[in-house]
Amino acid sequence: MAIERTLAIIKPDAVGRGLAGDIIKRIEGAGLRVRAMRLMRLGRAQAEAFYEVHKARPFYGSLCEYMSSGPVVVIALEADGAIARWRELMGATDPVKAAPGTIRKEFGMNVEQNATHGSDAPETAAREVAFFFSSLDIVA
Ligand code: CDP
Ligand code: MG
């Protein structure tokens, strides 16, 4: 595997329930290194831009409303194979279908409010990390 960067977001449902610390502990426990991190609230337009790839999907409007409904924690992660490893730790999109022990299984509320985001490929990871962080924010 190669050293990769990926974007993690602790979504509003999880931050709102005080789960950010638990989720960061799992990230660190899995050997994924935090290279940049910020607590912030997305504006509606920022959420729409971030999820632009899903613009045509029926859940897009509701998703953007939800993602701008409260604070999120955005994190740039780095590790060997970070993209797949973070997705594995999160579990499937729908918490009902997520494997036991995964973050979405344990913390997700439903298919929309599913606790965390993770980039799905090298190209999207590069775009998504750059969406939130400049090169100066990333700690070597
Ligand atoms: O986040 P992930 O890559 O697993 O799933 P996605 O297909 O890229 O969808 C992005 C996000 O849209 C999900 O994480 C959910 O928050 C939301 N979503 C939804 O509300 N309803 C669906 N049927 C699918 C996704
Ligand atoms: Mg996705």
Side-chain angles (χ1 to χ4, degrees):
M1 277 189 284
I3 297 284
E4 294 174 337
R5 282 189 189 146
T6 191
L7 185 80
I9 304 178
I10 306 176
K11 293 183 176 183
D13 67 284
V15 174
R17 286 177 290 143
L19 296 171
D22 280 355
I23 291 170
I24 293 164
K25 188 175 175 67
R26 284 169 181 245
I27 286 171
E28 293 181 323
L32 297 165
R33 310 297 300 267
V34 173
R35 293 300 194 207
M37 177 157 60
R38 184 190 315 124
L39 176 74
M40 63 181 296
R41 178 143 178 192
L42 290 175
R44 174 70 190 234
Q46 291 172 310
E48 287 173 356
F50 181 76
Y51 279 116
E52 195 172 22
V53 62
H54 292 313
K55 193 152 56 181
R57 309 286 284 280
F59 57 79
Y60 179 69
S62 177
L63 172 63
C64 294
E65 184 71 30
Y66 154 62
M67 287 300 289
S68 54
S69 68
V72 297
V73 179
V74 292
I75 308 171
L77 296 175
E78 191 174 87
D80 220 33
I83 297 168
R85 284 168 62 191
W86 171 230
R87 292 208 47 112
E88 198 175 324
L89 199 63
M90 288 200 302
T93 307
D94 184 347
V96 169
K97 297 176 187 152
T102 60
I103 289 170
R104 284 166 159 176
K105 175 61 116 193
E106 295 198 6
F107 299 140
M109 311 276 285
N110 54 56
V111 69
E112 177 181 80
Q113 302 190 18
N114 56 1
T116 51
H117 167 85
S119 310
D120 62 8
E123 302 71 35
T124 49
R127 172 193 176 264
E128 292 177 1
V129 169
F131 188 92
F132 289 107
F133 298 110
S134 83
S135 57
L136 290 174
D137 295 320
I138 309 271
V139 177

